[in-house]
Amino acid sequence: YKQVAARVEAQSETVSNVDFLRNSRIVVELISAADIDRIEEMVQRTNQLNFTKIRRSREVLLSQINDPNNFSAAVRVRDKFGDYGVCGFICANRPRNQLIHFLFSCRILGLGVEKFIYNYLGRPNIRIAQPVVEDLDGSEGVDWIALSDGVPDDHARRSFSDMEGLKIIFRGGCDISPVAQLFSSNGLDVVEDIGNAANQTQIRYLVDSRALSDAIKSEITKKIPFINDETYSSRMFSDRYDFAVISMVVDFSRIAYKHRDLGVSIFHEISQGLDRVPIDGFEDNMHFLHREWEKTGLQSPEQLEAVLKEFDVLELDVGHIIFLNGAEVPNVTLNDQHRKMNEVLDAFISRNPEKYSLVDLRRIVRDQSFLREENNIRHYVRSVYVGIYEEIERIIRSRSLR
């Protein structure tokens, strides 16, 4: 960790976030909206960078894309660290100068692509459906992104020849997606088990996927609007992986609800604006939630310790597991919660260092200048994701050479 800390400290003294972005050689390309599978996936799953949150069927999307009154395009992004592929979709009605769809994958969080595209389009009308983690103000000032001329430039592809054949799964919330994409764009075999507005990825659900009966899981997924079948069917169980990278920040910050009769717990934070996400039967199901489940507050250190013990004995075919903890930044909401939960995670990992490693966000996110939003301890400037990527790479290389 001394090397990581030294690199981050040097960067914080000499390079601002804007300078880092300018040095990243970010290129955006608007391409044909032909990959309907990818577009449908983004429309249905993206939330944090989905500015309109208009969920439409495949047939409606095709109709909108083929409508001559609409301008539609997929957005492809690359920088010197990698090619992020298709990670955005825009659809605008020309006569009304109105954006219908304006959404981007979490894999490009912190790059400023949404601001650049919005300004490039001439700042059309848009009805923003909150919550979104970025705003579109100040889009005129994004001078670190170039529009592609169609000729691909070579990004600084890392050499992973000594890691060839390794399979890595990334599990967590949107915070882990940019890191997973950096590995994927450099040619490694990467599987993403990433959560979204209607599918949670807390470690509790990994345990419950094996501990709960099918009948109980079915009842929960039918009646709870922010849990679906994917919640209890993680890809962690579907294959063998050399490494698993698990982000714990979602576990640290969710509200716990305990069933009044069964004692089963679920986790979510309704205040994040899920009520604005169109989910069939939401209102009726929320009445069911409050009638049969008791809100017990933020997950406690004792609850985390208990679920980690259960996780430790799960039958996972994984060579080594790398945890990401939570950042600790004084005077920021959830800082004390992160501190208490980090202590539990530290103790858990220290008992079995051959099985578990830690990427310590406390050493990478050292003050508020590393946060992308004031008072949001879970969203970082772009250099932090690169720092996480480099530390995971260091751990994988060190373990692989043994």
Side-chain angles (χ1 to χ4, degrees), residues 168-186:
I168 309 169
I169 184 168
F170 288 79
R171 178 176 171 87
C174 233
D175 61 296
I176 199 70
S177 185
V179 182
Q181 187 59 30
L182 285 169
F183 281 97
S184 178
S185 67
N186 282 286

Side-chain angles (χ1 to χ4, degrees), residues 47-200:
N47 194 52
Q48 295 197 67
L49 284 176
N50 189 334
F51 288 83
T52 55
K53 295 185 178 61
I54 299 174
R55 321 288 184 183
R56 291 293 182 262
S57 68
R58 185 188 189 93
E59 291 72 22
V60 172
L61 287 171
L62 285 169
S63 175
Q64 291 175 332
I65 291 169
N66 293 323
D67 188 334
N69 287 318
N70 294 340
F71 168 76
S72 299
V75 181
R76 183 172 181 173
V77 181
R78 64 182 184 270
D79 64 16
K80 73 177 186 179
F81 300 104
D83 188 330
Y84 304 102
V86 173
C87 48
F89 172 59
I90 55 178
C91 179
N93 180 270
R94 290 188 178 97
R96 293 185 288 114
N97 192 31
Q98 179 79 37
L99 281 165
I100 303 169
H101 299 285
F102 192 67
L103 56 99
F104 304 88
S105 165
C106 286
R107 65 179 62 166
I108 56 167
L109 271 171
L111 288 184
V113 170
E114 67 291 329
K115 289 183 172 68
F116 175 82
I117 294 292
Y118 185 61
N119 194 55
Y120 173 78
L121 295 175
R123 302 176 62 82
N125 300 320
I126 182 171
R127 184 176 298 169
I128 296 177
Q130 297 291 349
V132 287
V133 298
E134 296 281 12
D135 60 52
L136 299 176
D137 295 335
S139 58
E140 304 94 332
V142 177
D143 60 0
W144 55 82
I145 297 178
L147 194 66
S148 172
D149 56 7
V151 179
D153 61 330
D154 293 329
H155 65 263
R157 190 183 182 96
R158 290 179 182 248
S159 174
F160 286 126
S161 58
D162 57 331
M163 297 161 59
E164 188 174 353
L166 295 182
K167 190 167 188 175
I168 309 169
I169 184 168
F170 288 79
R171 178 176 171 87
C174 233
D175 61 296
I176 199 70
S177 185
V179 182
Q181 187 59 30
L182 285 169
F183 281 97
S184 178
S185 67
N186 282 286
L188 289 184
D189 189 356
V190 168
V191 173
E192 294 189 26
D193 199 15
I194 308 297
N196 57 67
N199 174 34
Q200 307 304 307

